[in-house]
């Protein structure tokens, strides 16, 4: 890619790094079908096809089933895969809800001690208090949420 102007697009399933990250999410949270139909596109040209894309470094383009990266970047790929994982494991969430969750999920796991302890509060109570929660508490909450019954997840307020 000369100067970041060249563009390439391929099926996500052809990316070993994407498969590895997805496997990690499935082990950390809950098994979810790998999105083989999604494409991974690298290059600046794709960002002009997305509203507001000129200012973004990476984006999950749900309408066209693709992840866009300006350049190969493992952290940004992890972030967009976290959004995609939340979409498939739970549902498409409002950006204000999904962004903080994806930010925590994109980090490599470092909260094993917190995740191994059973929280004192219920999932709905923890969900309501998530604004003041630490990254490890949110990671634990995401793990518990994605393992909980769909009805419980769907009953949570998305505000």
């Amino acid at each position: 890619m000369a100067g970041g102007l060249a563009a390439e697009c391929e099926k996500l399933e052809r990316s070993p790094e994407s498969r590895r990250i997805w496997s990690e999410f499935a082990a950390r949270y809950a098994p979810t079908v790998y999105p083989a139909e999604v494409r991974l596109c690298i290059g600046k040209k794709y960002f002009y096809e997305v509203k507001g894309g000129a200012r973004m470094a990476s984006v999950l383009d749900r309408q066209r089933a693709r992840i866009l990266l300006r350049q190969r970047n493992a952290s940004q790929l992890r972030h967009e895969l976290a959004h995609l994982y939340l979409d498939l494991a739970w549902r498409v969430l409002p950006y204000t809800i999904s962004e903080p969750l994806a930010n925590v999920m994109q980090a490599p796991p470092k909260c094993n001690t917190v995740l191994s302890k059973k929280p004192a509060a219920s999932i709905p109570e923890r969900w309501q208090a998530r604004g003041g929660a630490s990254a490890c508490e949110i990671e634990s909450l995401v793990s518990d949420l994605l393992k909980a019954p769909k009805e419980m997840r769907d009953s949570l307020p998305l505000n």
Side-chain angles (χ1 to χ4, degrees), residues 20-89:
R20 183 188 56 74
I21 293 167
W22 197 268
S23 294
E24 180 187 312
F25 287 164
R28 275 169 71 185
Y29 303 113
T32 301
V33 175
Y34 186 75
E37 74 286 351
V38 173
R39 294 175 297 139
L40 176 61
C41 303
I42 301 171
K44 289 182 182 180
K45 87 170 201 173
Y46 296 105
F47 287 83
Y48 298 105
E49 300 170 3
V50 177
K51 184 179 179 179
R55 295 183 308 248
M56 297 178 188
S58 66
V59 66
L60 171 59
D61 181 359
R62 291 178 179 95
Q63 288 183 320
R64 294 186 175 127
R66 60 190 183 166
I67 291 174
L68 308 180
L69 303 177
R70 286 194 181 273
Q71 57 192 353
R72 291 201 182 274
N73 181 300
S75 178
Q76 290 169 355
L77 177 60
R78 286 182 70 85
H79 184 83
E80 300 309 331
L81 282 171
H83 278 289
L84 183 57
Y85 183 85
L86 286 168
D87 288 358
L88 297 175

Side-chain angles (χ1 to χ4, degrees), residues 119-151:
S122 68
I123 291 176
E125 291 168 331
R126 292 164 52 208
W127 179 254
Q128 289 293 354
R130 73 188 181 283
S134 71
C136 290
E137 290 169 328
I138 292 174
E139 184 177 338
S140 175
L141 174 60
V142 170
S143 178
D144 292 347
L145 267 171
L146 296 177
K147 292 173 185 166
K150 180 181 179 350
E151 299 78 31

Side-chain angles (χ1 to χ4, degrees), residues 11 17 19 32 36 61 72 79 91 93-94 106 114-115 118 136 139-140 147 154:
K11 290 278 192 179
E17 187 169 19
R19 286 192 162 286
T32 301
D61 181 359
R72 291 201 182 274
H79 184 83
R91 68 194 227 193
L93 299 165
Q106 93 178 48
V114 172
L115 290 174
K118 182 153 176 78
C136 290
E139 184 177 338
S140 175
K147 292 173 185 166
D154 290 344

